[in-house]
Amino acid sequence: MQNRISSFPPVIDSQSEILILGSIPGVKSLEKQQYYAHPQNKFWTIIFHLFNEDLTDDYARRLNVLKKHHIAVWDVIDSCERKGSLDSEIKNEEANRIAELLDEHRNIKAIFCNGGKSYKNLQKLLGKNYRLPIFQLPSTSPLHTVSFETKLEEWKKIQEFLT
C-alpha cells in the first residue's frame, strides 16, 4: 500500500470569481505545503503574466495576487495514493467537495482546470451540463511540454470572466 496524500484547503474568499482546479499537489508542493511549488511549474509565472504583476517567490504575496484578481485555487482530488508526482500514478482517489464549495461561493463565474486529469475528474463530479462554464487549460506542469507562450495564450481565457 502506498502512502496516502491529501490536497490543501481551497484558497478562496467571498470576492472570488474564477476557480482554478488542479488534480492534487505534487511531491514538491506537498513538501513545501504550497500550491504549485515545483520551480519548473509555470502556474505562478502565467498568473503573474496575465495580470502584469512582478513575479515573486514569496508564497503569501503570491496568494495575495490571486485574491487581488478574484481567483480561487483548489484541487479536484481530496486524497489518493500516488508514487511520485504523475497524475497517471494516482490510485484510490477521493474527490473534494467541489459542488458544495461552488454553492457556498456564488460569485464564481467559471471553472478552469489545470490539465486533463482535473478536467476529466471534474466532469465526472459535476456532469457535462453544469451551471457554470468549465474549461480545460494546458497543464502548467513541466511534464506538459507545450511552449510557455502557447500555455499563456490559452490561460488568457481567464481574463474574459473577470470584472
Side-chain angles (χ1 to χ4, degrees):
M1 175 77 56
Q2 298 174 15
N3 287 341
R4 193 148 190 94
I5 60 170
S6 297
S7 180
F8 307 136
V11 173
I12 193 167
D13 65 21
S14 62
Q15 304 302 308
S16 298
E17 297 177 354
I18 297 297
L19 175 60
I20 298 173
L21 293 171
S23 54
I24 193 161
V27 172
K28 188 61 79 177
S29 293
L30 292 167
E31 285 173 9
K32 290 189 163 194
Q33 289 294 292
Q34 298 178 3
Y35 280 103
Y36 303 103
H38 192 289
Q40 292 175 320
N41 190 299
K42 297 301 181 194
F43 177 83
W44 294 110
T45 306
I46 286 172
I47 293 297
F48 278 69
H49 249 85
L50 288 179
F51 301 107
N52 205 22
E53 298 275 354
D54 293 327
L55 186 61
T56 178
D57 288 332
D58 183 296
Y59 189 62
R61 287 194 50 224
R62 287 177 167 188
L63 295 179
N64 283 336
V65 166
L66 291 177
K67 184 177 180 179
K68 175 181 170 184
H69 295 287
H70 311 291
I71 295 174
V73 174
W74 204 19
D75 288 307
V76 177
I77 299 170
D78 174 57
S79 67
C80 67
E81 295 169 9
R82 185 188 64 207
K83 182 175 66 176
S85 293
L86 295 176
D87 283 352
S88 60
E89 294 292 324
I90 291 172
K91 309 263 189 278
N92 300 319
E93 58 201 74
E94 298 288 332
N96 265 322
R97 300 176 73 155
I98 307 294
E100 289 87 343
L101 181 86
L102 294 168
D103 285 343
E104 293 169 14
H105 293 86
R106 294 301 224 170
N107 284 347
I108 299 290
K109 298 176 184 172
I111 304 166
F112 291 87
C113 295
N114 188 352
K117 177 69 173 171
S118 61
Y119 182 76
K120 287 175 190 146
N121 282 37
L122 187 64
Q123 295 264 304
K124 288 181 202 167
L125 277 177
L126 301 181
K128 294 184 190 277
N129 297 312
Y130 191 68
R131 65 177 173 83
L132 294 173
I134 299 171
F135 300 92
Q136 179 181 340
L137 296 174
S139 173
T140 58
S141 164
L143 296 173
H144 188 67
T145 57
V146 172
S147 73
F148 173 78
E149 292 75 20
T150 300
K151 289 180 185 185
L152 179 62
E153 197 58 37
E154 288 292 312
W155 278 72
K156 286 180 181 178
K157 289 178 188 165
I158 289 172
Q159 296 170 319
E160 298 170 23
F161 291 88
L162 293 170
T163 53

